Amino acid sequence: DDSEVHTALLLTNGKSSMAPKELRRFLEKNQGKIHVFAAAAGQNNNLTSLDMVSSLFGGSLLYSDTNAAFPRKFATFVKDLQAPLAKDLSISIYPIETEAHLQMQPFTYQAPNLYNKGALTLMGKIDRLCDLHFMLQGKNSEGQVFLKKIIPLNAAASSAPSMRKQWALQEKTTCYKKFLEDAKASHLTKAKDLLKAANGRAFAE
């Protein structure tokens, strides 16, 4: 049913054997129909590859460093995905002041869905503080979803270290795209370094 949200939960032994060519073919055939979320627990996981697969397909990675804690984390993870608000998101953001220049970080290949329990994070850079026009369109089982508001940036606070870290993590999406294009391992190495800096020892494997 095209009006419903379709989600795949990838539970693996922590490894991913998908070659770049296979991933590209899967992305082309999928065309945003299925969003993939990956989950892994314990040690010796190829977390960078699992994060890449889930990121490319509009999902995210759940990781538990212990097997004992995994069932509880996974149950909460799945529960949060059971209340989708909208899919096929189209987002437009532009400054109120015409002189301002805004650069948004793009989605990978598939825009994420909007969930009742989850935040939709959008990041960008602007060369001068001014308010932004924000418009979101999507659809759900009841029809079209439309949201329009003004985001006030004139009174914005300075970015916290956590936000700077999140901005750096956005670079990993560029690494994944480049890896699909030329299959150079250096792109995944850079993505792994970014993930390790943000998430600690889990991505040191």
Side-chain angles (χ1 to χ4, degrees):
D1 188 343
D2 187 54
S3 66
E4 296 180 347
V5 170
H6 302 283
T7 301
L9 299 171
L10 179 62
L11 298 174
T12 77
N13 62 355
K15 305 298 181 182
S16 173
S17 59
M18 266 195 175
K21 186 176 181 180
E22 294 173 327
L23 269 175
R24 286 196 304 268
R25 187 182 302 118
F26 192 8
L27 283 164
E28 291 168 358
K29 292 185 67 176
N30 187 45
Q31 295 182 341
K33 296 176 182 176
I34 298 176
H35 284 65
V36 178
F37 293 79
Q43 306 302 311
N44 300 316
N45 298 288
N46 191 340
L47 296 178
T48 305
S49 292
L50 294 177
D51 181 74
M52 175 177 66
V53 171
S54 54
S55 296
L56 292 174
F57 286 90
S60 61
L61 169 65
L62 168 71
Y63 172 69
S64 174
D65 56 356
T66 65
N67 292 326
F70 180 76
R72 175 183 53 82
K73 290 183 177 180
F74 185 67
T76 302
F77 186 65
V78 173
K79 185 177 181 180
D80 290 346
L81 297 177
Q82 290 180 333
L85 298 177
K87 58 179 286 189
D88 297 341
L89 300 185
S90 174
I91 297 170
S92 175
I93 305 177
Y94 59 93
I96 288 180
E97 297 182 13
T98 56
E99 298 85 1
H101 177 68
L102 175 66
Q103 175 194 351
M104 295 299 299
Q105 284 281 10
F107 295 125
T108 48
Y109 283 87
Q110 294 182 194
N113 294 322
L114 184 62
Y115 295 92
N116 185 42
K117 292 287 187 176
L120 177 65
T121 302
L122 306 171
M123 303 197 75
K125 289 183 178 181
I126 193 168
D127 58 2
R128 60 190 297 176
L129 281 180
C130 66
D131 293 348
L132 302 177
H133 287 288
F134 171 82
M135 289 182 289
L136 179 147
Q137 289 178 287
K139 63 181 182 180
N140 58 23
S141 58
E142 298 180 359
Q144 296 293 318
V145 175
F146 182 76
L147 174 64
K148 182 178 181 180
K149 66 179 300 182
I150 299 294
I151 300 177
L153 285 189
N154 282 320
S158 299
S159 61
S162 59
M163 186 176 293
R164 298 191 190 101
K165 183 185 295 185
Q166 194 169 6
W167 174 265
L169 273 179
Q170 295 296 315
E171 295 182 33
K172 70 176 183 176
T173 61
T174 302
C175 297
Y176 295 152
K177 286 182 177 180
K178 290 181 178 179
F179 179 70
L180 289 190
E181 293 168 1
D182 58 27
K184 291 183 178 178
S186 58
H187 300 312
L188 288 190
T189 300
K190 182 177 180 181
K192 182 176 181 178
D193 290 340
L194 291 168
L195 289 165
K196 180 181 177 182
N199 298 290
R201 61 184 181 86
F203 283 86
E205 299 176 11

